[in-house]
Amino acid sequence: LPRGHHMKELWTYWVEQLGLDWQQAVWYDIPPPGTSRPSLHVLQQVLHALADRPFSFHLYPMYLNDDVRKMAHSSGFPVIGDAEEHELGHLSEAKSWLHERARHEEPEILNLQGTRVLIPAGHTAYSKAELLRAWRDLTYRKKGSKIFLKPSRGSGCVGLICDATEADVHTASFHAGESVILEEEVTASK
């Protein structure tokens, strides 16, 4: 967790309310503005703090690359997870694997070990024209449903627009070779 007064207050609340231990948090200093590769700066602090813990850890980063793997191994931590360069494509676009381009069928229902999992209806678009076609299709088929608009490269809800409007679709930006996803909101009642 980032070191700071408000975060420590929040962590204290979580410790009291959820029965957590104060030592379950790993604290780091927020890198100063202009720091080259701030995520690696934070990772270095976190690995250093974990090295003093009497437990064994595996590192499971959201985006695994060679720099992260080398830092973890040099600190004595095994790494698990898939590398950013994956046989299916860039892992940062994993969300787009859920929806094919211009997919027109109803939401799928998968049966995984006896549990039904609803896959939301959606489209992956690689251009403004595809995104507009996807918008027209989804809003026609899913009248009254909220539509989510999200860049496939966004993680941690970065760039996510809940209950998107047509104006949001018109202002969506595309980065070279990356996609934007439109998908219906899935609720427990569906």
Side-chain angles (χ1 to χ4, degrees):
L1 298 172
R3 205 178 311 277
H5 177 71
H6 295 296
M7 186 52 74
K8 287 197 175 189
E9 282 182 355
L10 182 59
W11 179 247
T12 300
Y13 174 78
W14 289 340
V15 166
E16 292 168 359
Q17 295 298 312
L18 302 174
L20 302 174
D21 186 278
W22 182 262
Q23 297 302 313
Q24 285 179 273
V26 175
W27 299 94
Y28 65 87
D29 295 314
I30 297 173
T35 300
S36 173
R37 304 183 73 186
S39 60
L40 289 180
H41 181 82
V42 169
L43 178 60
Q44 187 173 33
Q45 292 180 65
V46 169
L47 291 173
H48 180 74
L50 289 175
D52 296 335
R53 303 285 171 101
F55 312 104
S56 62
F57 292 92
H58 282 75
L59 182 66
Y60 187 24
M62 182 165 194
Y63 296 112
L64 177 59
N65 60 36
D66 285 338
D67 291 334
V68 171
R69 188 186 315 274
K70 287 175 187 171
M71 283 180 78
H73 283 295
S74 70
S75 299
F77 293 98
V79 179
I80 56 176
D82 291 318
E84 176 63 20
E85 295 296 328
H86 193 276
E87 64 188 52
L88 296 175
H90 286 282
L91 215 57
S92 59
E93 290 209 9
K95 288 179 263 179
S96 66
W97 300 344
L98 183 61
H99 306 296
E100 296 177 19
R101 283 172 102 157
R103 186 172 136 177
H104 291 287
E105 66 267 14
E106 286 299 304
E108 294 178 51
I109 297 179
L110 300 179
N111 192 349
L112 301 174
Q113 297 177 351
T115 302
R116 290 168 42 100
V117 178
L118 179 67
I119 305 298
H123 295 281
T124 300
Y126 289 86
S127 69
K128 186 73 74 175
E130 284 186 2
L131 188 60
L132 289 168
R133 278 195 305 274
W135 173 260
R136 286 190 295 271
D137 178 66
L138 268 183
T139 54
Y140 175 78
R141 288 190 301 127
K142 301 295 174 182
K143 284 184 178 35
S145 290
K146 289 183 180 180
I147 304 292
F148 294 143
L149 172 72
K150 54 190 172 182
S152 59
R153 66 175 160 66
S155 61
C157 296
V158 171
L160 172 67
I161 299 174
C162 300
D163 202 8
T165 65
E166 190 170 355
D168 295 321
V169 170
H170 282 283
T171 59
S173 60
F174 288 82
H175 296 275
E178 294 182 348
S179 58
V180 173
I181 299 167
L182 276 178
E183 74 181 22
E184 70 169 322
E185 176 185 42
V186 176
T187 62
S189 64
K190 290 186 180 182

